[in-house]
Amino acid sequence: MASRSDTKTRILDAAEKLFAERGFSETSLRLITSKAEVNLASVNYHFGSKKELIRAVLARYLDVFMPAAAAEIKRLNAASSQASLEEIFSSLVNPLLDLNKLRTEGTTIFLQLLGRGYIESQGHLRWFITTHYGQHLDTFVSAVSASAPHIPPAEMFWRLHFTLGTIVFTMASADALNDIAAAEFGEHNDIEAVIRKVIPYMAAGVSVPVAS
């Protein structure tokens, strides 16, 4: 049993790194098995298909992040009659940073994987997330909508996806951006500082009134 568990973990670790670096479409199962030093039959045995492997890689993060994020939003709502968008987005920071305890650079890897899912039109991931984590997702969307009731649902759909795109791009470019900020402005930011920098920008973008 220990051997099977170890094999499964090696596959997940190899797939996670390759998916984040190369994307889902450009990463073959043979490349994953080569990096994990297992045979193709092991992937089929533990996961059945590449789609299931992709979902399993993300589930390691989502199983931790989604309940923690929803709990933070509920705590925020209990403490405030109407939380602001900045407060709602800020409540997600600690659950995101806690992913670094799960895996080295877990926060960055998770957001890169999430971004890959949207960039590469992995429609099955949207189904997977809404089916398995829909209740937690609804908690977030409801809180954001309540804080910006002047934004119609269809417009909110777009703005939340623009927001996701912003954070994914920022995290994917964080090393380069931090190097530029250090060289040109003498700033030295860690991952938390970068996330907190982008929150006011995202909150303002989500809440700006719809043009008539």
Side-chain angles (χ1 to χ4, degrees):
M1 183 64 71
S3 178
R4 289 181 179 178
S5 176
D6 180 60
T7 297
K8 185 175 183 179
T9 299
R10 294 213 318 268
I11 294 170
L12 285 169
D13 290 347
E16 172 186 286
K17 184 173 180 60
L18 290 167
F19 286 151
E21 290 176 352
R22 296 168 172 258
F24 300 120
S25 300
E26 296 300 316
T27 301
S28 67
L29 289 180
R30 291 195 179 278
L31 189 59
I32 292 169
T33 55
S34 176
K35 186 173 182 63
E37 299 182 338
V38 301
N39 56 44
L40 190 58
S42 296
V43 177
N44 294 328
Y45 173 78
H46 287 289
F47 303 100
S49 69
K50 185 178 178 180
K51 282 185 178 181
E52 290 297 333
L53 175 57
I54 291 171
R55 294 169 189 170
V57 165
L58 270 166
R60 292 205 292 184
Y61 291 97
L62 292 169
D63 285 350
V64 174
F65 173 71
M66 295 298 275
E72 284 297 307
I73 291 173
K74 290 177 181 177
R75 181 194 59 76
L76 182 63
N77 287 337
S80 174
S81 57
Q82 184 54 70
S84 68
L85 284 174
E86 282 200 38
E87 289 173 329
I88 293 169
F89 289 144
S90 294
S91 73
L92 304 182
V93 173
N94 285 336
L96 272 175
L97 294 176
D98 283 344
L99 296 178
N100 288 326
K101 301 175 184 176
L102 183 69
R103 303 278 295 151
T104 302
E105 297 186 347
T107 302
T108 301
I109 293 172
F110 169 63
L111 290 170
Q112 287 176 338
L113 290 169
L114 205 58
R116 291 287 188 184
Y118 279 87
I119 292 169
E120 299 180 23
S121 300
Q122 296 284 324
H124 68 99
L125 279 182
R126 186 176 189 280
W127 171 87
F128 174 70
I129 292 172
T130 54
T131 300
H132 292 267
Y133 310 98
Q135 184 177 358
H136 302 313
L137 198 58
D138 288 345
T139 298
F140 169 73
V141 174
S142 296
V144 171
S145 297
S147 290
H150 57 291
I151 305 300
E155 183 67 20
M156 183 61 76
F157 163 81
W158 286 106
R159 293 188 182 191
L160 287 179
H161 280 80
F162 296 154
T163 299
L164 176 62
T166 298
I167 191 65
V168 166
F169 168 79
T170 300
M171 296 307 300
S173 310
D175 289 343
L177 292 171
N178 278 332
D179 288 345
I180 294 170
E184 297 191 8
F185 308 109
E187 283 191 0
H188 299 282
N189 301 302
D190 58 14
I191 189 71
E192 180 177 356
V194 173
I195 292 174
R196 293 195 182 280
K197 278 180 178 294
V198 80
I199 285 175
Y201 176 87
M202 295 190 302
V206 170
S207 62
V208 67
V210 179
S212 57

